[in-house]
Amino acid sequence: MRSRPLSVGRSDAGCEDRVSEVVAAVIAGARRRAVRDGDQQIDTAHLLHGLLESDPDVREVFPGGPPQVVRLLGYLVQRTIGYGLRWSGTVECAGAARVVGGGMAGWSPAAAAALRAAVHRAASRGASRAGGPDLLAALVRDRECRAMEVLRRAGVTVEPLVTALAAEKCQQSPG
């Protein structure tokens, strides 16, 4: 029997107010998905799922195009019935989360670190709010997070994705 999920409420770390409307919708969807699936916290796979569903800019950056995005979504949909079952009842604590301190209520350490990194990436290009590509870049930066496991299982070669995200960052205007 699954334990009751913890409250997956808004964070108190101040990052959620520095994201675009699209990323705010991604976070809201990730929160609903975590609660629906009985997960303890929002994790990086929840965020990746929301990005792929909600952000056309994120879908466009995948070198494999629409077929690759469809395959990724297929893996993410299987989370509660397939590979993701081993994540049930566990806290995602990946590489970037061990480096960056400070937790956010209702977020896995890796997801909280990714959100902070996305906000930082946006600020580094002069933007006041993090967009979907900022969050995706933060997810792929942590090679040990659940989102990266999904990408690997779906056959995404990460280096071309990282290159595409770097090029995308240079083309974005502040906002």
PDB file of all heavy atoms in Angstrom, residues 102-128:
ATOM      1  N   GLY A 102      19.727  24.079   0.279  1.00  0.00           N
ATOM      2  CA  GLY A 102      18.445  24.736   0.485  1.00  0.00           C
ATOM      3  C   GLY A 102      17.301  24.010  -0.171  1.00  0.00           C
ATOM      4  O   GLY A 102      17.222  23.952  -1.380  1.00  0.00           O
ATOM      5  N   GLY A 103      16.429  23.437   0.623  1.00  0.00           N
ATOM      6  CA  GLY A 103      15.304  22.698   0.093  1.00  0.00           C
ATOM      7  C   GLY A 103      14.117  23.585  -0.185  1.00  0.00           C
ATOM      8  O   GLY A 103      14.042  24.723   0.246  1.00  0.00           O
ATOM      9  N   MET A 104      13.184  23.047  -0.940  1.00  0.00           N
ATOM     10  CA  MET A 104      11.926  23.718  -1.226  1.00  0.00           C
ATOM     11  C   MET A 104      10.835  22.724  -0.865  1.00  0.00           C
ATOM     12  O   MET A 104      10.864  21.576  -1.323  1.00  0.00           O
ATOM     13  CB  MET A 104      11.851  24.101  -2.712  1.00  0.00           C
ATOM     14  CG  MET A 104      12.818  25.213  -3.081  1.00  0.00           C
ATOM     15  SD  MET A 104      13.018  25.526  -4.873  1.00  0.00           S
ATOM     16  CE  MET A 104      11.395  25.455  -5.555  1.00  0.00           C
ATOM     17  N   ALA A 105       9.900  23.157  -0.061  1.00  0.00           N
ATOM     18  CA  ALA A 105       8.821  22.280   0.389  1.00  0.00           C
ATOM     19  C   ALA A 105       8.064  21.701  -0.799  1.00  0.00           C
ATOM     20  O   ALA A 105       7.665  22.419  -1.711  1.00  0.00           O
ATOM     21  CB  ALA A 105       7.863  23.052   1.291  1.00  0.00           C
ATOM     22  N   GLY A 106       7.884  20.369  -0.791  1.00  0.00           N
ATOM     23  CA  GLY A 106       7.125  19.709  -1.834  1.00  0.00           C
ATOM     24  C   GLY A 106       7.905  19.428  -3.105  1.00  0.00           C
ATOM     25  O   GLY A 106       7.336  18.980  -4.089  1.00  0.00           O
ATOM     26  N   TRP A 107       9.199  19.690  -3.100  1.00  0.00           N
ATOM     27  CA  TRP A 107      10.054  19.489  -4.264  1.00  0.00           C
ATOM     28  C   TRP A 107      11.172  18.527  -3.896  1.00  0.00           C
ATOM     29  O   TRP A 107      11.728  18.600  -2.796  1.00  0.00           O
ATOM     30  CB  TRP A 107      10.699  20.802  -4.690  1.00  0.00           C
ATOM     31  CG  TRP A 107       9.753  21.786  -5.299  1.00  0.00           C
ATOM     32  CD1 TRP A 107       8.754  22.463  -4.660  1.00  0.00           C
ATOM     33  CD2 TRP A 107       9.728  22.220  -6.644  1.00  0.00           C
ATOM     34  NE1 TRP A 107       8.107  23.279  -5.539  1.00  0.00           N
ATOM     35  CE2 TRP A 107       8.697  23.163  -6.766  1.00  0.00           C
ATOM     36  CE3 TRP A 107      10.489  21.905  -7.758  1.00  0.00           C
ATOM     37  CZ2 TRP A 107       8.388  23.788  -7.968  1.00  0.00           C
ATOM     38  CZ3 TRP A 107      10.199  22.539  -8.955  1.00  0.00           C
ATOM     39  CH2 TRP A 107       9.153  23.470  -9.057  1.00  0.00           C
ATOM     40  N   SER A 108      11.544  17.645  -4.832  1.00  0.00           N
ATOM     41  CA  SER A 108      12.732  16.835  -4.610  1.00  0.00           C
ATOM     42  C   SER A 108      13.938  17.777  -4.625  1.00  0.00           C
ATOM     43  O   SER A 108      13.879  18.849  -5.247  1.00  0.00           O
ATOM     44  CB  SER A 108      12.890  15.772  -5.697  1.00  0.00           C
ATOM     45  OG  SER A 108      13.349  16.347  -6.904  1.00  0.00           O
ATOM     46  N   PRO A 109      15.007  17.409  -3.942  1.00  0.00           N
ATOM     47  CA  PRO A 109      16.203  18.266  -3.973  1.00  0.00           C
ATOM     48  C   PRO A 109      16.692  18.520  -5.401  1.00  0.00           C
ATOM     49  O   PRO A 109      17.105  19.639  -5.719  1.00  0.00           O
ATOM     50  CB  PRO A 109      17.224  17.476  -3.154  1.00  0.00           C
ATOM     51  CG  PRO A 109      16.389  16.676  -2.204  1.00  0.00           C
ATOM     52  CD  PRO A 109      15.158  16.293  -2.997  1.00  0.00           C
ATOM     53  N   ALA A 110      16.624  17.521  -6.262  1.00  0.00           N
ATOM     54  CA  ALA A 110      17.086  17.699  -7.642  1.00  0.00           C
ATOM     55  C   ALA A 110      16.174  18.657  -8.423  1.00  0.00           C
ATOM     56  O   ALA A 110      16.664  19.482  -9.203  1.00  0.00           O
ATOM     57  CB  ALA A 110      17.165  16.357  -8.350  1.00  0.00           C
ATOM     58  N   ALA A 111      14.866  18.561  -8.229  1.00  0.00           N
ATOM     59  CA  ALA A 111      13.937  19.459  -8.923  1.00  0.00           C
ATOM     60  C   ALA A 111      14.099  20.894  -8.424  1.00  0.00           C
ATOM     61  O   ALA A 111      14.070  21.841  -9.217  1.00  0.00           O
ATOM     62  CB  ALA A 111      12.496  18.982  -8.740  1.00  0.00           C
ATOM     63  N   ALA A 112      14.276  21.058  -7.122  1.00  0.00           N
ATOM     64  CA  ALA A 112      14.497  22.398  -6.557  1.00  0.00           C
ATOM     65  C   ALA A 112      15.784  22.998  -7.116  1.00  0.00           C
ATOM     66  O   ALA A 112      15.820  24.182  -7.486  1.00  0.00           O
ATOM     67  CB  ALA A 112      14.550  22.323  -5.031  1.00  0.00           C
ATOM     68  N   ALA A 113      16.838  22.191  -7.201  1.00  0.00           N
ATOM     69  CA  ALA A 113      18.111  22.667  -7.754  1.00  0.00           C
ATOM     70  C   ALA A 113      17.940  23.064  -9.220  1.00  0.00           C
ATOM     71  O   ALA A 113      18.491  24.072  -9.665  1.00  0.00           O
ATOM     72  CB  ALA A 113      19.185  21.599  -7.605  1.00  0.00           C
ATOM     73  N   ALA A 114      17.161  22.285  -9.968  1.00  0.00           N
ATOM     74  CA  ALA A 114      16.929  22.597 -11.378  1.00  0.00           C
ATOM     75  C   ALA A 114      16.174  23.915 -11.534  1.00  0.00           C
ATOM     76  O   ALA A 114      16.513  24.725 -12.404  1.00  0.00           O
ATOM     77  CB  ALA A 114      16.162  21.467 -12.057  1.00  0.00           C
ATOM     78  N   LEU A 115      15.171  24.143 -10.696  1.00  0.00           N
ATOM     79  CA  LEU A 115      14.421  25.393 -10.790  1.00  0.00           C
ATOM     80  C   LEU A 115      15.325  26.582 -10.478  1.00  0.00           C
ATOM     81  O   LEU A 115      15.308  27.597 -11.187  1.00  0.00           O
ATOM     82  CB  LEU A 115      13.199  25.379  -9.869  1.00  0.00           C
ATOM     83  CG  LEU A 115      12.294  26.606  -9.991  1.00  0.00           C
ATOM     84  CD1 LEU A 115      11.730  26.755 -11.403  1.00  0.00           C
ATOM     85  CD2 LEU A 115      11.161  26.524  -8.983  1.00  0.00           C
ATOM     86  N   ARG A 116      16.137  26.447  -9.434  1.00  0.00           N
ATOM     87  CA  ARG A 116      17.073  27.531  -9.108  1.00  0.00           C
ATOM     88  C   ARG A 116      18.063  27.766 -10.248  1.00  0.00           C
ATOM     89  O   ARG A 116      18.362  28.909 -10.596  1.00  0.00           O
ATOM     90  CB  ARG A 116      17.811  27.222  -7.816  1.00  0.00           C
ATOM     91  CG  ARG A 116      16.957  27.425  -6.564  1.00  0.00           C
ATOM     92  CD  ARG A 116      17.795  27.370  -5.291  1.00  0.00           C
ATOM     93  NE  ARG A 116      18.413  26.067  -5.107  1.00  0.00           N
ATOM     94  CZ  ARG A 116      17.840  25.046  -4.490  1.00  0.00           C
ATOM     95  NH1 ARG A 116      16.621  25.180  -3.984  1.00  0.00           N
ATOM     96  NH2 ARG A 116      18.462  23.898  -4.357  1.00  0.00           N
ATOM     97  N   ALA A 117      18.564  26.687 -10.848  1.00  0.00           N
ATOM     98  CA  ALA A 117      19.512  26.818 -11.959  1.00  0.00           C
ATOM     99  C   ALA A 117      18.847  27.468 -13.175  1.00  0.00           C
ATOM    100  O   ALA A 117      19.482  28.253 -13.887  1.00  0.00           O
ATOM    101  CB  ALA A 117      20.085  25.452 -12.324  1.00  0.00           C
ATOM    102  N   ALA A 118      17.578  27.169 -13.416  1.00  0.00           N
ATOM    103  CA  ALA A 118      16.854  27.785 -14.538  1.00  0.00           C
ATOM    104  C   ALA A 118      16.714  29.281 -14.331  1.00  0.00           C
ATOM    105  O   ALA A 118      16.916  30.073 -15.263  1.00  0.00           O
ATOM    106  CB  ALA A 118      15.483  27.132 -14.693  1.00  0.00           C
ATOM    107  N   VAL A 119      16.377  29.680 -13.121  1.00  0.00           N
ATOM    108  CA  VAL A 119      16.255  31.107 -12.809  1.00  0.00           C
ATOM    109  C   VAL A 119      17.607  31.796 -12.978  1.00  0.00           C
ATOM    110  O   VAL A 119      17.702  32.889 -13.552  1.00  0.00           O
ATOM    111  CB  VAL A 119      15.677  31.301 -11.381  1.00  0.00           C
ATOM    112  CG1 VAL A 119      15.805  32.736 -10.923  1.00  0.00           C
ATOM    113  CG2 VAL A 119      14.218  30.850 -11.350  1.00  0.00           C
ATOM    114  N   HIS A 120      18.667  31.135 -12.532  1.00  0.00           N
ATOM    115  CA  HIS A 120      20.017  31.692 -12.678  1.00  0.00           C
ATOM    116  C   HIS A 120      20.398  31.809 -14.160  1.00  0.00           C
ATOM    117  O   HIS A 120      20.977  32.817 -14.577  1.00  0.00           O
ATOM    118  CB  HIS A 120      21.030  30.815 -11.924  1.00  0.00           C
ATOM    119  CG  HIS A 120      22.428  31.299 -12.067  1.00  0.00           C
ATOM    120  ND1 HIS A 120      22.904  32.400 -11.399  1.00  0.00           N
ATOM    121  CD2 HIS A 120      23.438  30.828 -12.828  1.00  0.00           C
ATOM    122  CE1 HIS A 120      24.160  32.598 -11.741  1.00  0.00           C
ATOM    123  NE2 HIS A 120      24.514  31.660 -12.605  1.00  0.00           N
ATOM    124  N   ARG A 121      20.071  30.782 -14.961  1.00  0.00           N
ATOM    125  CA  ARG A 121      20.377  30.819 -16.393  1.00  0.00           C
ATOM    126  C   ARG A 121      19.665  31.983 -17.066  1.00  0.00           C
ATOM    127  O   ARG A 121      20.243  32.692 -17.895  1.00  0.00           O
ATOM    128  CB  ARG A 121      19.978  29.499 -17.050  1.00  0.00           C
ATOM    129  CG  ARG A 121      20.290  29.412 -18.544  1.00  0.00           C
ATOM    130  CD  ARG A 121      19.841  28.054 -19.092  1.00  0.00           C
ATOM    131  NE  ARG A 121      20.294  27.807 -20.443  1.00  0.00           N
ATOM    132  CZ  ARG A 121      19.552  27.992 -21.532  1.00  0.00           C
ATOM    133  NH1 ARG A 121      18.303  28.435 -21.424  1.00  0.00           N
ATOM    134  NH2 ARG A 121      20.027  27.717 -22.733  1.00  0.00           N
ATOM    135  N   ALA A 122      18.404  32.174 -16.719  1.00  0.00           N
ATOM    136  CA  ALA A 122      17.649  33.289 -17.292  1.00  0.00           C
ATOM    137  C   ALA A 122      18.292  34.621 -16.916  1.00  0.00           C
ATOM    138  O   ALA A 122      18.470  35.502 -17.768  1.00  0.00           O
ATOM    139  CB  ALA A 122      16.198  33.240 -16.824  1.00  0.00           C
ATOM    140  N   ALA A 123      18.656  34.768 -15.649  1.00  0.00           N
ATOM    141  CA  ALA A 123      19.284  36.009 -15.192  1.00  0.00           C
ATOM    142  C   ALA A 123      20.618  36.247 -15.904  1.00  0.00           C
ATOM    143  O   ALA A 123      20.955  37.392 -16.230  1.00  0.00           O
ATOM    144  CB  ALA A 123      19.488  35.971 -13.679  1.00  0.00           C
ATOM    145  N   SER A 124      21.350  35.178 -16.197  1.00  0.00           N
ATOM    146  CA  SER A 124      22.652  35.321 -16.854  1.00  0.00           C
ATOM    147  C   SER A 124      22.525  35.863 -18.272  1.00  0.00           C
ATOM    148  O   SER A 124      23.471  36.428 -18.804  1.00  0.00           O
ATOM    149  CB  SER A 124      23.409  33.986 -16.867  1.00  0.00           C
ATOM    150  OG  SER A 124      22.858  33.102 -17.813  1.00  0.00           O
ATOM    151  N   ARG A 125      21.358  35.702 -18.871  1.00  0.00           N
ATOM    152  CA  ARG A 125      21.138  36.266 -20.200  1.00  0.00           C
ATOM    153  C   ARG A 125      20.316  37.560 -20.136  1.00  0.00           C
ATOM    154  O   ARG A 125      19.868  38.073 -21.159  1.00  0.00           O
ATOM    155  CB  ARG A 125      20.520  35.234 -21.143  1.00  0.00           C
ATOM    156  CG  ARG A 125      19.157  34.757 -20.795  1.00  0.00           C
ATOM    157  CD  ARG A 125      18.643  33.737 -21.832  1.00  0.00           C
ATOM    158  NE  ARG A 125      17.477  33.060 -21.330  1.00  0.00           N
ATOM    159  CZ  ARG A 125      16.267  33.603 -21.263  1.00  0.00           C
ATOM    160  NH1 ARG A 125      16.058  34.807 -21.701  1.00  0.00           N
ATOM    161  NH2 ARG A 125      15.268  32.907 -20.746  1.00  0.00           N
ATOM    162  N   GLY A 126      20.108  38.061 -18.918  1.00  0.00           N
ATOM    163  CA  GLY A 126      19.427  39.331 -18.748  1.00  0.00           C
ATOM    164  C   GLY A 126      17.916  39.251 -18.682  1.00  0.00           C
ATOM    165  O   GLY A 126      17.235  40.271 -18.730  1.00  0.00           O
ATOM    166  N   ALA A 127      17.369  38.055 -18.561  1.00  0.00           N
ATOM    167  CA  ALA A 127      15.916  37.890 -18.495  1.00  0.00           C
ATOM    168  C   ALA A 127      15.453  37.913 -17.042  1.00  0.00           C
ATOM    169  O   ALA A 127      16.165  37.457 -16.144  1.00  0.00           O
ATOM    170  CB  ALA A 127      15.501  36.575 -19.149  1.00  0.00           C
ATOM    171  N   SER A 128      14.279  38.416 -16.817  1.00  0.00           N
ATOM    172  CA  SER A 128      13.744  38.477 -15.456  1.00  0.00           C
ATOM    173  C   SER A 128      13.005  37.199 -15.073  1.00  0.00           C
ATOM    174  O   SER A 128      12.770  36.956 -13.890  1.00  0.00           O
ATOM    175  CB  SER A 128      12.807  39.678 -15.308  1.00  0.00           C
ATOM    176  OG  SER A 128      11.718  39.561 -16.215  1.00  0.00           O
TER     177      SER A 128
END
